[in-house]
Structure formats: structure tokens, C-alpha cells
């Protein structure tokens, strides 16, 4: 006998500003909303603290979804190849699969925090029972509106925004080099753990690092860090000159900084 399915409304939080603002925005509009967070076990402490604040505001729990296996298990499955912009197995195994398992076969309206001023697509499941919803796009909500929603709620922005522009794992390969420096300065223990995953000497001569050809050990050298931060400040000035009279935190979208050369967009299910 086939189990009866339900109709559900689910908002998946990433630990970032847009999904948090959407949760606040939808709280009274869809009282039956369920909230979920795909926990990789490799998140920043600030992310967990932010989720606790969101839970308090919503007055209901944020379901923590865990992959059946850990990041380290999947790393072995993928022959110790670190995830990268071209091979995002971490997103598939630790974010998408747990979310789709949580949805099951129910008809699910999945609420995604893409704004009206963004030109990118959100996570769209291949499962026909998961229907994407974009309230911010439909209602014309833009980046300044997101900051206003967060400020008026009293939740504010995540603490990591003082040195990082996106949510995601502490070793996310989409971090700017300046953000790696920020990780080393704010969480040296996590920086060391991230460095332990890298392989810079292999029998084939290949180097497997989080940020292109530069290892975290190389990036940790004081002279190199100073150069990275100086370059980043020049980048910030260029951005500020193009958009004057706006708070710096509002100037950035989630795409990788041009100073690092990434052209691939980050994983939306991790980043909103």
C-alpha cells in the first residue's frame, strides 16, 4: 500500500543573510512553514550561533539535516580529491541529498531566497514533487531590503560577515584569498584543519589545494598575507568607487572576487 503524501512548505536556511531574511519575511505569511538546515559538520561557529538566533525569532525549530555519512567519508569515496568549482561533490552529497530525503515523496514548495536584483538560478531539484518558490523575486525584494528586514527584526547579519562574504563550510573553495586570511586570523584552529586536507606533494606531482595552486601553508606566511590583504583593499576601493554612498557590506554579491580569478558561481543551496 502506497503511503499517502502531504503538501508541505519548506524553507532551507544556509546560514547566510538572504535565506535568513526570507525566513523572517515568510514567518507570518506561511505559518505552517518548516525550516531546515543541511549541516555538513564543517560549519563556522558563527553559523550555528546565527541559526540559534533565527530559531528564537521564528518560535519554532530549524531542523538540522545531516548526511548519512560525513565529509571525510565522502572524501574517501572521491579518492581524496578535494571538492572544487568543477567537482562540487560536497554540495551534492552533504546538502542536496539530505534535503531531498527530508522532503521524501511529499509535494514540497521549496522557498528560495534569490532576490529581485540577482541574475542567477537557485537550487532546482530534479524531483518533480519539489516545486521552487521565489517570494523575493515576486515581491521585488532587493539587497537593501534584505538588510532592512534583518535589522528591523533584531537578528542582524551573521558575525562572520566582518571578514567573510558568504556562508558555507569553513574550508569552502569559493572563499576569496582575503577570506582565507580572515579564517586564519579568526579561527586559526579551523585554518589548520583545512590545511591538513591539502596534499602538496604526491607521487604524480599534482597539488590538491583549496585555492588553486596556492596552499594554505603558503598563504599563511605573513608577507603573503599582507600582499593578499593589500590587493583586496584595492579591490574594495574599486567596488566602492563604482557604488558610492552605500555601506560596504551591501556592495558584494556572493560571486567570487575578481581578484582571485574564479568565474564559476558559488553553490546557491550553500550560499544564500
Amino acid at each position: 500500500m502506497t503511503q499517502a503524501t502531504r503538501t508541505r512548505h519548506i524553507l532551507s536556511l544556509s546560514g547566510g543573510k538572504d535565506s535568513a531574511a526570507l525566513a523572517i519575511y515568510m514567518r507570518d505569511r506561511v505559518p505552517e512553514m518548516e525550516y531546515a538546515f543541511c549541516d555538513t559538520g564543517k560549519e563556522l561557529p558563527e553559523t550555528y550561533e546565527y541559526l540559534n538566533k533565527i530559531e528564537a525569532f521564528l518560535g519554532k525549530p530549524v531542523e538540522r539535516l545531516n548526511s548519512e555519512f560525513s565529509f571525510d567519508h565522502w572524501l574517501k569515496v572521491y579518492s581524496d580529491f578535494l571538492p572544487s568549482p568543477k567537482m562540487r561533490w560536497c554540495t551534492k552529497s552533504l546538502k542536496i541529498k539530505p534535503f531531498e530525503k527530508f522532503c521524501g515523496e511529499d509535494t514540497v514548495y521549496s522557498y528560495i531566497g534569490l532576490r529581485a536584483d540577482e541574475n542567477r538560478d537557485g537550487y532546482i531539484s530534479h524531483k518533480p514533487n519539489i516545486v521552487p518558490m521565489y517570494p523575493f523575486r515576486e515581491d521585488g525584494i532587493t539587497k537593501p531590503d534584505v538588510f532592512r528586514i534583518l535589522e528591523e527584526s533584531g537578528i542582524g547579519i551573521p558575525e562572520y560577515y566582518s571578514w567573510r562574504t558568504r556562508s558555507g563550510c569553513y574550508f569552502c573553495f569559493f572563499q576569496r584569498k582575503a577570506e582565507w586570511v580572515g579564517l586564519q586570523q579568526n579561527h586559526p584552529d579551523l585554518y589548520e584543519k583545512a590545511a591538513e586536507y591539502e596534499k602538496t606533494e604526491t607521487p604524480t606531482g599534482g597539488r590538491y589545494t583549496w585555492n588553486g595552486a596556492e596552499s594554505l601553508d603558503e598563504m599563511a606566511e605573513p608577507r603573503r598575507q599582507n600582499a593578499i590583504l593589500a590587493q583586496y583593499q584595492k579591490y574594495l576601493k574599486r567596488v566602492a568607487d563604482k557604488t558610492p554612498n552605500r555601506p560596504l557590506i551591501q556592495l558584494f554579491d556572493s560571486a567570487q572576487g575578481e581578484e582571485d580569478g574564479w568565474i564559476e558561481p558559488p553553490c546557491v543551496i550553500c550560499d544564500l
Side-chain angles (χ1 to χ4, degrees):
M1 181 176 179
T2 303
Q3 185 177 359
T5 61
R6 301 171 290 164
T7 296
R8 300 162 65 191
H9 298 263
I10 301 177
L11 195 157
S12 182
L13 292 154
S14 69
K17 68 182 189 312
D18 293 318
S19 61
L22 183 61
I24 296 165
Y25 187 74
M26 300 303 299
R27 183 188 68 172
D28 298 327
R29 289 173 170 82
V30 183
E32 67 272 30
M33 186 77 76
E34 299 174 56
Y35 302 92
F37 172 70
C38 296
D39 188 353
T40 65
K42 303 295 183 180
E43 313 292 334
L44 290 165
E46 294 96 327
T47 298
Y48 295 118
E49 293 168 5
Y50 197 56
L51 288 171
N52 291 338
K53 292 173 67 175
I54 294 171
E55 279 185 324
F57 181 88
L58 297 175
K60 60 171 61 176
V62 174
E63 187 76 22
R64 267 65 164 181
L65 308 182
N66 298 98
S67 171
E68 185 177 356
F69 301 103
S70 68
F71 173 86
D72 296 292
H73 165 84
W74 288 110
L75 182 63
K76 293 297 182 185
V77 169
Y78 285 91
S79 303
D80 288 333
F81 282 94
L82 296 178
S84 69
K86 297 295 185 182
M87 191 175 182
R88 308 181 193 186
W89 59 257
C90 51
T91 302
K92 175 183 176 181
S93 302
L94 295 167
K95 294 284 186 177
I96 294 176
K97 285 185 176 179
F99 179 75
E100 292 186 342
K101 182 178 180 181
F102 179 64
C103 294
E105 299 305 317
D106 295 330
T107 297
V108 170
Y109 292 98
S110 175
Y111 291 76
I112 301 166
L114 282 174
R115 307 184 309 268
D117 57 349
E118 290 187 283
N119 184 26
R120 57 175 177 156
D121 293 324
Y123 153 67
I124 299 176
S125 174
H126 294 295
K127 298 187 66 176
N129 60 302
I130 301 178
V131 182
M133 305 290 288
Y134 303 100
F136 280 172
R137 280 187 171 175
E138 294 173 2
D139 295 348
I141 301 297
T142 61
K143 184 182 289 187
D145 297 317
V146 163
F147 284 97
R148 175 183 52 77
I149 291 169
L150 293 172
E151 182 179 356
E152 291 178 352
S153 72
I155 289 180
I157 61 176
E159 291 294 330
Y160 61 71
Y161 276 142
S162 64
W163 55 274
R164 179 172 164 153
T165 61
R166 63 173 55 84
S167 54
C169 298
Y170 66 81
F171 47 52
C172 180
F173 44 80
F174 279 114
Q175 291 182 96
R176 295 175 169 96
K177 291 180 181 179
E179 293 170 336
W180 280 110
V181 174
L183 179 66
Q184 197 276 334
Q185 293 177 346
N186 287 273
H187 298 290
D189 57 328
L190 297 182
Y191 190 90
E192 288 302 317
K193 288 181 179 179
E196 290 171 3
Y197 282 109
E198 295 188 323
K199 291 179 173 61
T200 56
E201 295 182 10
T202 65
T204 63
R207 285 164 57 91
Y208 304 103
T209 59
W210 292 111
N211 193 287
E214 189 169 17
S215 74
L216 295 189
D217 285 341
E218 293 164 343
M219 209 181 298
E221 293 294 327
R223 182 177 297 180
R224 179 61 184 134
Q225 288 197 356
N226 290 337
I228 289 170
L229 294 177
Q231 184 180 19
Y232 191 55
Q233 288 302 316
K234 291 179 181 178
Y235 168 69
L236 296 185
K237 186 177 186 304
R238 289 198 302 272
V239 175
D241 288 345
K242 292 178 182 178
T243 316
N245 302 319
R246 289 182 62 185
L248 194 58
I249 187 64
Q250 293 192 22
L251 298 177
F252 300 104
D253 282 313
S254 297
Q256 180 68 23
E258 63 186 54
E259 77 282 6
D260 286 340
W262 291 122
I263 57 174
E264 295 284 332
C267 308
V268 175
I269 196 170
C270 303
D271 182 59
L272 287 175

